[in-house]
Amino acid sequence: MSQQNSIEDVLQAYVNAGTLAGAATLVWRDGRVVQTATVGRRDLVTNLPVERGTIFRIASMTKPVTSVAALTLYDEGRFALDEPIARLAPELARLRVLRDPNGPLDQTDAAERPITFGDLLTHRSGLTYGDFHRGPIARACAEALGAAMDNALGPDEWIARLATLPLIDQPGAGFHYGLSTDLLGFLIARLEDAPLSVVLERRIFRPLGMRDTGFIVPRENRTRRAGLCGFDAEGKLTDLPTTPGGNALAERPDDMTFESGGQGLWSTLDDYLAFARLFLGRGEVDGVRVLRPETCAMMASNHLTPDQRLTARMFGMPLFAAGHGYGMGVAVVMEPDKADPLRCRGGVGTVGWPGAYGGWWQADPSDNSVLIFLTHNMLELQQMASGIGLDVWSAIARFHELACA
């Protein structure tokens, strides 16, 4: 059985079992696409099929893109990694830090040092996602900041509100996944005096030919867009009116100025392939240089201390204790035999970072390969805790296994 048929057959079994609406995969190796598969439906209302050009929400797969855009400005000398971000965001010059991440909001200490650009790129700013906590900071984040993607606040108002919230840790002290990349996106937009969408188009999408990637899907392409898909209370596939938590709407208003550099992009297999190849070409794709080779290598190198690797958690689970470190916007394979494929798994230096809606990718310089898996598998946190919708991660692991066989 060919790799093409094997991957397609395995993924079709998840579709037939009702645990996955549909998915698209791609394997690129040594200069060419060697496998693509499309299974199931991209929209549960219209029953239209998943196709190679289907446009998906990629959630946190946005973070590496925003990080690369920021590093293009670093390459131009527009900021230094150890430079305080207060130059661009004076609102954040005097921050407080919770003594206990789940403790009362009035029990804080002054930040011992400013947040730097390097802190944002490595998620060591002390910022967090409110949803990751059970204490008062969860409600405070929700009330102050609003939705994560389709948000009525403008960037300046969002930053001003962020400045009223305490950090959960001292800047530089530890890895805390969260709002760092959203803030980074707004700061590079200020630096360029342009919306983040324009910055990304100018610095990444246009040079790499990523025609179908952006914070909105143009009207003429909306028939290619994947519908919002999740699960009901019984664990059955269903279409959704908004993404979980109301973080994104079925239709984004045209006049919305909030653009989430942490999780707001839509993209396709071929567009994201163009981006992922940067990590195989040392910052260059098909003769187009986006990053200096040394900057790309820096991005794809671990920046966490041994203790920070050991203590990094998400939903109580260790992230980097074995197998991986964290670079700038991407996980990095350090110990291949211990690396969990759900972040990325390959030779030393393999990078990747998944998205909450089931999107996943990796770029492995050791065998010159890119693997990409896109789907819409949108879960509420309580559904995840109940085991609903988790088969997507099994499907990704099987795709990885077969693609690397």
Side-chain angles (χ1 to χ4, degrees), residues 149-153 249 251-259:
M149 284 174 273
D150 291 342
N151 191 321
L153 297 176
L249 306 172
E251 293 295 346
R252 177 182 170 92
D254 291 337
D255 61 352
M256 187 167 280
T257 60
F258 184 96
E259 294 173 331

Side-chain angles (χ1 to χ4, degrees), residues 21-94:
T25 66
L26 181 148
V27 179
W28 185 94
R29 186 173 283 115
D30 290 330
R32 65 187 184 94
V33 174
V34 297
Q35 181 275 334
T36 61
T38 57
V39 298
R41 295 173 287 170
R42 68 175 184 263
D43 191 304
L44 297 181
V45 175
T46 64
N47 286 320
L48 289 170
V50 172
E51 298 173 319
R52 179 164 171 170
T54 295
I55 306 169
F56 293 89
R57 279 196 174 276
I58 60 171
S60 286
M61 287 170 59
T62 303
K63 289 180 172 70
V65 178
T66 301
S67 299
V68 167
L71 288 170
T72 66
L73 289 161
Y74 166 80
D75 275 350
E76 295 171 4
R78 306 282 291 280
F79 66 84
L81 295 179
D82 60 357
E83 180 182 356
I85 63 171
R87 173 169 70 88
L88 291 177
E91 307 96 317
L92 300 170
R94 294 178 178 84

Side-chain angles (χ1 to χ4, degrees), residues 91-113:
E91 307 96 317
L92 300 170
R94 294 178 178 84
L95 295 170
R96 307 289 297 183
V97 181
L98 287 172
R99 293 171 186 163
D100 176 352
N102 289 311
L105 298 181
D106 60 355
Q107 294 187 12
T108 63
D109 298 309
E112 295 172 358
R113 68 161 177 79

Side-chain angles (χ1 to χ4, degrees), residues 208 274 277-293 296:
L208 295 181
R277 286 177 58 198
L278 284 171
F279 298 94
L280 305 180
R282 302 175 69 228
E284 180 179 315
V285 176
D286 293 336
V288 176
R289 179 154 300 283
V290 175
L291 290 176
R292 293 178 179 175
C296 190

Side-chain angles (χ1 to χ4, degrees), residues 57-344:
R57 279 196 174 276
I58 60 171
S60 286
M61 287 170 59
T62 303
K63 289 180 172 70
V65 178
T66 301
S67 299
V68 167
L71 288 170
T72 66
L73 289 161
Y74 166 80
D75 275 350
E76 295 171 4
R78 306 282 291 280
F79 66 84
L81 295 179
D82 60 357
E83 180 182 356
I85 63 171
R87 173 169 70 88
L88 291 177
E91 307 96 317
L92 300 170
R94 294 178 178 84
L95 295 170
R96 307 289 297 183
V97 181
L98 287 172
R99 293 171 186 163
D100 176 352
N102 289 311
L105 298 181
D106 60 355
Q107 294 187 12
T108 63
D109 298 309
E112 295 172 358
R113 68 161 177 79
I115 295 173
T116 66
F117 285 94
D119 292 332
L120 295 182
L121 283 159
T122 58
H123 286 276
R124 293 183 291 185
S125 65
L127 295 169
T128 187
Y129 284 137
D131 289 347
F132 286 180
H133 301 273
R134 297 181 179 178
I137 192 65
R139 181 174 179 179
C141 284
E143 292 179 349
L145 303 178
M149 284 174 273
D150 291 342
N151 191 321
L153 297 176
D156 291 346
E157 177 65 17
W158 186 88
I159 292 175
R161 293 188 179 204
L162 182 68
T164 69
L165 299 170
L167 305 176
I168 63 161
D169 202 355
Q170 290 288 343
F175 179 95
H176 300 283
Y177 191 59
L179 296 166
S180 289
T181 315
D182 285 284
L183 178 56
L184 180 67
F186 290 137
L187 294 186
I188 64 175
R190 282 187 176 184
L191 196 57
E192 288 280 81
D193 193 25
L196 180 58
S197 55
V198 173
V199 177
L200 297 182
E201 175 68 23
R202 180 189 302 151
R203 291 181 170 270
I204 298 179
F205 302 155
R206 190 181 305 145
L208 295 181
M210 297 170 65
R211 298 178 181 85
D212 292 319
T213 303
F215 293 110
I216 61 168
V217 177
R219 294 182 186 279
E220 63 270 21
N221 289 335
R222 288 182 182 173
T223 57
R224 294 168 50 203
R225 183 177 57 181
L228 306 185
C229 177
F231 296 84
D232 62 19
E234 297 178 349
K236 295 181 179 179
L237 288 167
T238 185
D239 65 290
L240 301 174
T242 66
T243 63
N247 284 313
L249 306 172
E251 293 295 346
R252 177 182 170 92
D254 291 337
D255 61 352
M256 187 167 280
T257 60
F258 184 96
E259 294 173 331
S260 170
Q263 49 197 325
L265 289 175
W266 296 78
S267 194
T268 63
L269 288 175
D270 288 286
D271 272 15
Y272 213 86
L273 170 63
F275 172 76
R277 286 177 58 198
L278 284 171
F279 298 94
L280 305 180
R282 302 175 69 228
E284 180 179 315
V285 176
D286 293 336
V288 176
R289 179 154 300 283
V290 175
L291 290 176
R292 293 178 179 175
E294 58 269 31
T295 303
C296 190
M298 177 181 70
M299 182 178 178
S301 299
N302 173 58
H303 290 271
L304 304 184
T305 67
D307 184 64
Q308 288 169 344
R309 287 181 65 201
L310 188 64
T311 57
R313 295 282 189 277
M314 189 182 297
F315 303 119
M317 301 294 290
L319 281 173
F320 310 119
H324 298 92
Y326 194 79
M328 295 179 171
V330 289
V332 182
V333 171
M334 299 175 66
E335 301 140 348
D337 58 326
K338 299 178 181 178
D340 181 345
L342 297 187
R343 276 174 289 290
C344 52

